[in-house]
Coordinates of all heavy atoms in Angstrom, one line a residue:
M1224 N 66.9 -17.6 13.3 CA 67.0 -17.4 14.7 C 68.0 -16.3 15.1 O 69.1 -16.3 14.4 CB 67.3 -18.6 15.4 CG 66.1 -19.5 15.6 SD 66.6 -21.1 16.6 CE 67.1 -22.1 15.2
P1225 N 67.7 -15.6 16.0 CA 68.6 -14.6 16.5 C 69.8 -15.1 17.2 O 69.8 -16.1 17.7 CB 67.8 -13.6 17.6 CG 66.7 -14.6 18.0 CD 66.4 -15.5 16.8
K1226 N 70.9 -14.3 16.9 CA 72.2 -14.7 17.5 C 72.8 -13.8 18.2 O 72.4 -12.5 18.0 CB 73.2 -15.2 16.3 CG 72.6 -16.4 15.5 CD 73.6 -16.8 14.5 CE 73.0 -18.1 13.9 NZ 74.0 -18.5 12.7
S1227 N 73.7 -14.0 19.1 CA 74.4 -13.0 20.0 C 75.1 -11.9 19.1 O 75.7 -12.4 18.0 CB 75.4 -13.7 21.0 OG 76.5 -14.2 20.2
G1228 N 75.1 -10.8 19.5 CA 75.7 -9.6 18.7 C 74.8 -9.0 17.8 O 74.9 -7.9 17.5
Q1229 N 73.5 -9.7 17.5 CA 72.5 -9.0 16.7 C 71.7 -8.2 17.5 O 71.6 -8.4 18.8 CB 71.7 -10.1 16.0 CG 72.3 -10.9 15.0 CD 71.4 -11.9 14.2 OE1 70.3 -12.2 14.8 NE2 71.7 -12.3 13.1
T1230 N 71.0 -7.2 17.0 CA 70.3 -6.3 17.8 C 68.9 -6.9 18.0 O 68.3 -7.5 17.0 CB 70.0 -4.9 17.1 OG1 71.3 -4.3 17.0 CG2 69.2 -4.0 17.9
V1231 N 68.4 -6.9 19.2 CA 67.1 -7.5 19.5 C 66.0 -6.6 18.9 O 66.0 -5.4 19.0 CB 66.9 -7.5 21.0 CG1 65.4 -8.0 21.4 CG2 67.9 -8.3 21.7
E1232 N 65.1 -7.3 18.1 CA 64.2 -6.5 17.4 C 62.7 -6.7 18.1 O 61.8 -6.1 17.8 CB 64.0 -6.9 15.9 CG 65.2 -6.5 15.2 CD 65.2 -6.8 13.7 OE1 64.1 -7.4 13.3 OE2 66.2 -6.6 13.0
Q1233 N 62.7 -7.7 18.9 CA 61.5 -8.0 19.7 C 61.9 -8.3 21.1 O 62.5 -9.2 21.4 CB 60.7 -9.1 19.0 CG 59.6 -9.7 20.0 CD 58.4 -8.7 20.0 OE1 57.8 -8.3 19.2 NE2 58.3 -8.3 21.3
S1234 N 61.4 -7.5 22.1 CA 61.6 -7.7 23.5 C 60.9 -9.0 23.9 O 59.8 -9.2 23.5 CB 61.1 -6.4 24.3 OG 62.0 -5.3 24.0
G1235 N 61.6 -9.7 24.7 CA 60.9 -10.9 25.3 C 61.9 -11.9 25.9 O 63.0 -11.5 26.1
I1236 N 61.3 -13.0 26.2 CA 62.1 -14.0 26.8 C 62.5 -15.0 25.8 O 61.7 -15.5 25.0 CB 61.1 -14.9 27.8 CG1 60.4 -14.1 28.8 CG2 62.1 -15.9 28.6 CD1 61.2 -13.3 29.7
Y1237 N 63.8 -15.1 25.7 CA 64.5 -16.0 24.7 C 65.2 -17.2 25.4 O 65.6 -17.1 26.5 CB 65.6 -15.2 23.9 CG 64.9 -14.2 23.0 CD1 64.5 -12.9 23.4 CD2 64.8 -14.5 21.6 CE1 63.9 -12.0 22.5 CE2 64.2 -13.5 20.7 CZ 63.8 -12.4 21.1 OH 63.2 -11.5 20.3
K1238 N 65.2 -18.2 24.6 CA 65.7 -19.5 25.2 C 67.0 -19.9 24.4 O 66.9 -19.9 23.1 CB 64.7 -20.6 25.0 CG 65.1 -21.7 26.0 CD 63.7 -22.6 26.0 CE 63.8 -23.6 27.1 NZ 62.6 -24.5 27.2
C1239 N 68.0 -20.2 25.0 CA 69.2 -20.7 24.4 C 68.8 -22.2 23.7 O 68.2 -22.9 24.3 CB 70.3 -21.0 25.4 SG 71.7 -21.8 24.8
T1240 N 69.2 -22.2 22.4 CA 68.9 -23.4 21.7 C 69.6 -24.6 22.1 O 69.3 -25.7 21.8 CB 69.0 -23.2 20.2 OG1 70.4 -22.8 19.9 CG2 68.1 -22.1 19.7
K1241 N 70.7 -24.3 22.8 CA 71.6 -25.5 23.2 C 71.3 -26.0 24.6 O 71.1 -27.2 24.8 CB 73.0 -24.9 23.1 CG 74.1 -26.1 23.0 CD 75.5 -25.5 22.7 CE 76.5 -26.5 22.7 NZ 77.8 -25.9 22.4
C1242 N 71.2 -25.1 25.6 CA 71.1 -25.6 26.9 C 69.7 -25.3 27.6 O 69.4 -25.7 28.7 CB 72.3 -25.0 27.9 SG 72.1 -23.3 28.2
G1243 N 69.0 -24.4 26.9 CA 67.6 -24.1 27.4 C 67.6 -23.0 28.4 O 66.5 -22.7 29.0
N1244 N 68.8 -22.3 28.6 CA 68.7 -21.1 29.6 C 67.9 -20.1 29.0 O 68.0 -19.8 27.7 CB 70.2 -20.7 29.6 CG 70.3 -19.7 30.7 OD1 69.7 -19.5 31.7 ND2 71.3 -18.7 30.3
E1245 N 67.2 -19.5 29.9 CA 66.2 -18.5 29.4 C 66.8 -17.0 29.7 O 67.2 -16.8 30.9 CB 64.8 -18.6 30.1 CG 64.1 -19.9 29.4 CD 62.8 -20.0 29.9 OE1 62.2 -19.1 30.8 OE2 62.1 -21.0 29.6
V1246 N 66.7 -16.1 28.9 CA 67.2 -14.8 29.1 C 66.2 -13.7 28.6 O 65.4 -14.1 27.6 CB 68.6 -14.5 28.4 CG1 69.7 -15.3 29.0 CG2 68.5 -14.7 26.9
T1247 N 66.1 -12.6 29.3 CA 65.2 -11.6 28.9 C 66.0 -10.6 28.1 O 67.1 -10.1 28.4 CB 64.8 -10.9 30.1 OG1 64.1 -11.8 31.0 CG2 63.8 -9.7 29.8
C1248 N 65.5 -10.3 26.9 CA 66.3 -9.5 26.0 C 65.4 -8.2 25.7 O 64.2 -8.3 25.4 CB 66.5 -10.2 24.7 SG 67.7 -11.6 24.9
V1249 N 66.0 -7.2 25.6 CA 65.3 -5.9 25.4 C 65.6 -5.3 24.0 O 66.7 -5.3 23.5 CB 65.7 -4.8 26.5 CG1 65.0 -3.5 26.3 CG2 65.4 -5.3 27.9
K1250 N 64.5 -4.8 23.4 CA 64.6 -4.3 22.0 C 65.7 -3.2 22.0 O 65.7 -2.3 22.8 CB 63.3 -3.7 21.7 CG 63.3 -3.2 20.2 CD 61.8 -2.7 19.9 CE 61.8 -2.1 18.4 NZ 60.5 -1.7 18.1
G1251 N 66.5 -3.3 20.9 CA 67.6 -2.2 20.8 C 68.9 -2.6 21.3 O 70.0 -1.9 21.0
E1252 N 68.9 -3.6 22.2 CA 70.2 -4.1 22.8 C 70.6 -5.3 22.1 O 69.9 -6.0 21.4 CB 69.9 -4.3 24.3 CG 69.6 -3.2 25.1 CD 69.6 -3.4 26.7 OE1 69.6 -4.6 27.0 OE2 69.3 -2.5 27.4
P1253 N 71.9 -5.6 22.1 CA 72.4 -6.9 21.5 C 72.2 -8.1 22.3 O 72.1 -8.0 23.5 CB 74.0 -6.5 21.3 CG 74.2 -5.6 22.4 CD 73.0 -4.8 22.8
F1254 N 72.0 -9.2 21.6 CA 71.8 -10.4 22.3 C 73.2 -10.7 22.9 O 74.1 -10.8 22.3 CB 71.4 -11.4 21.3 CG 69.9 -11.6 21.0 CD1 69.6 -11.0 19.7 CD2 68.9 -12.1 21.7 CE1 68.3 -11.0 19.3 CE2 67.7 -12.1 21.3 CZ 67.3 -11.6 20.1
P1255 N 73.1 -11.2 24.1 CA 74.3 -11.6 24.8 C 74.6 -13.1 24.5 O 73.7 -13.8 24.2 CB 74.0 -11.5 26.3 CG 72.6 -11.8 26.4 CD 72.0 -11.2 25.1
P1256 N 75.9 -13.4 24.6 CA 76.2 -14.9 24.6 C 75.6 -15.6 25.8 O 75.4 -15.0 26.8 CB 77.7 -15.0 24.4 CG 78.2 -13.7 25.0 CD 77.1 -12.7 24.8
C1257 N 75.2 -16.8 25.6 CA 74.6 -17.6 26.7 C 75.6 -17.7 27.9 O 76.7 -18.0 27.6 CB 74.1 -19.0 26.3 SG 73.5 -20.0 27.7
R1258 N 75.2 -17.3 29.0 CA 76.1 -17.4 30.3 C 76.4 -18.8 30.6 O 77.4 -19.0 31.2 CB 75.4 -16.7 31.4 CG 75.5 -15.2 31.3 CD 74.9 -14.6 32.6 NE 74.4 -13.2 32.4 CZ 73.6 -12.6 33.3 NH1 73.1 -13.3 34.4 NH2 73.2 -11.5 33.0
K1259 N 75.5 -19.7 30.4 CA 75.8 -21.1 30.8 C 76.6 -22.0 29.9 O 77.5 -22.7 30.2 CB 74.5 -21.8 31.0 CG 73.7 -21.2 32.2 CD 72.6 -22.2 32.6 CE 71.9 -21.6 33.9 NZ 70.8 -22.5 34.3
C1260 N 76.4 -21.7 28.5 CA 77.1 -22.6 27.6 C 77.8 -21.9 26.5 O 78.5 -22.5 25.6 CB 76.1 -23.6 27.0 SG 75.0 -22.9 25.9
S1261 N 77.7 -20.6 26.5 CA 78.4 -19.8 25.4 C 77.8 -19.9 24.0 O 78.4 -19.5 23.1 CB 79.9 -20.0 25.4 OG 80.5 -19.8 26.6
N1262 N 76.7 -20.7 24.0 CA 76.0 -20.7 22.7 C 75.5 -19.3 22.3 O 75.4 -18.5 23.1 CB 74.8 -21.6 23.0 CG 74.0 -21.8 21.6 OD1 74.7 -21.9 20.5 ND2 72.8 -22.0 21.6
S1263 N 75.3 -19.1 21.1 CA 75.0 -17.8 20.6 C 73.7 -17.7 19.8 O 73.3 -16.7 19.3 CB 76.0 -17.2 19.8 OG 76.3 -17.9 18.7
E1264 N 72.9 -18.8 19.9 CA 71.6 -18.8 19.2 C 70.4 -18.9 20.0 O 70.4 -19.7 21.1 CB 71.6 -20.0 18.2 CG 70.7 -19.9 17.1 CD 70.9 -20.8 16.0 OE1 70.6 -21.9 16.1 OE2 71.5 -20.5 14.9
Y1265 N 69.4 -18.2 19.8 CA 68.3 -18.1 20.7 C 67.0 -18.4 20.0 O 66.9 -18.1 18.7 CB 68.2 -16.7 21.4 CG 69.2 -16.5 22.4 CD1 70.3 -15.8 22.1 CD2 69.1 -17.0 23.7 CE1 71.4 -15.5 23.0 CE2 70.2 -16.8 24.7 CZ 71.3 -16.0 24.3 OH 72.3 -15.9 25.2
K1266 N 66.0 -18.6 20.7 CA 64.6 -18.9 20.1 C 63.7 -18.0 21.1 O 63.8 -18.0 22.3 CB 64.3 -20.3 20.2 CG 63.0 -20.6 19.7 CD 62.6 -22.0 19.9 CE 61.2 -22.5 19.4 NZ 60.9 -23.9 19.6
L1267 N 62.9 -17.3 20.3 CA 61.9 -16.4 21.2 C 60.8 -17.4 21.8 O 60.2 -18.2 21.2 CB 61.2 -15.5 20.2 CG 60.1 -14.5 21.0 CD1 60.7 -13.7 22.0 CD2 59.4 -13.7 19.9
I1268 N 60.7 -17.2 23.2 CA 59.7 -18.0 23.9 C 58.4 -17.2 24.1 O 57.3 -17.7 23.9 CB 60.3 -18.4 25.3 CG1 61.5 -19.3 25.1 CG2 59.2 -19.1 26.1 CD1 61.3 -20.6 24.4
R1269 N 58.7 -16.0 24.7 CA 57.5 -15.1 24.9 C 57.9 -13.7 24.7 O 58.7 -13.2 25.2 CB 57.0 -15.4 26.4 CG 55.8 -14.7 26.7 CD 55.1 -15.3 27.9 NE 56.1 -15.4 29.2 CZ 56.2 -14.3 29.9 NH1 55.5 -13.2 29.8 NH2 57.0 -14.5 30.8
A1270 N 57.0 -13.0 23.9 CA 57.3 -11.7 23.6 C 56.6 -10.8 24.6 O 55.6 -11.1 25.2 CB 56.7 -11.3 22.3
T1271 N 57.4 -9.7 24.9 CA 56.8 -8.7 26.0 C 56.8 -7.4 25.1 O 57.3 -7.2 24.0 CB 57.7 -8.5 27.2 OG1 59.1 -8.3 26.7 CG2 57.8 -9.9 27.9
K1272 N 56.1 -6.4 25.8 CA 55.8 -5.1 25.1 C 57.2 -4.4 24.8 O 58.2 -4.5 25.4 CB 54.9 -4.2 26.0 CG 55.6 -3.9 27.3 CD 54.7 -2.8 27.9 CE 55.3 -2.6 29.3 NZ 55.8 -1.2 29.6
Ligands
LIG2255 ZN1 73.1 -22.0 26.7

């Protein structure tokens, strides 16, 4: 699973594995830490172009 600091390889909606907060991540940018719980692990929910 992607973690904060890693570069996003697939743009899409990601969900925090801890609190369920959803964030939009863009390819080429680093994953941010979760704003709600500071968790750093994400799961891809829906890929976008
Ligand atoms: Zn979270």
Side-chain angles (χ1 to χ4, degrees):
M1224 273 183 273
K1226 295 182 178 179
S1227 68
Q1229 290 186 343
T1230 302
V1231 177
E1232 293 182 2
Q1233 170 64 65
S1234 295
I1236 311 296
Y1237 287 81
K1238 196 171 195 174
C1239 171
T1240 57
K1241 197 169 176 182
C1242 74
N1244 183 39
E1245 293 183 4
V1246 292
T1247 301
C1248 298
V1249 179
K1250 185 178 180 180
E1252 294 183 356
F1254 282 98
C1257 179
R1258 282 188 206 161
K1259 289 191 176 177
C1260 73
S1261 299
N1262 182 39
S1263 60
E1264 202 167 70
Y1265 290 98
K1266 182 181 176 185
L1267 179 64
I1268 299 299
R1269 187 159 55 84
T1271 56
K1272 61 169 174 118

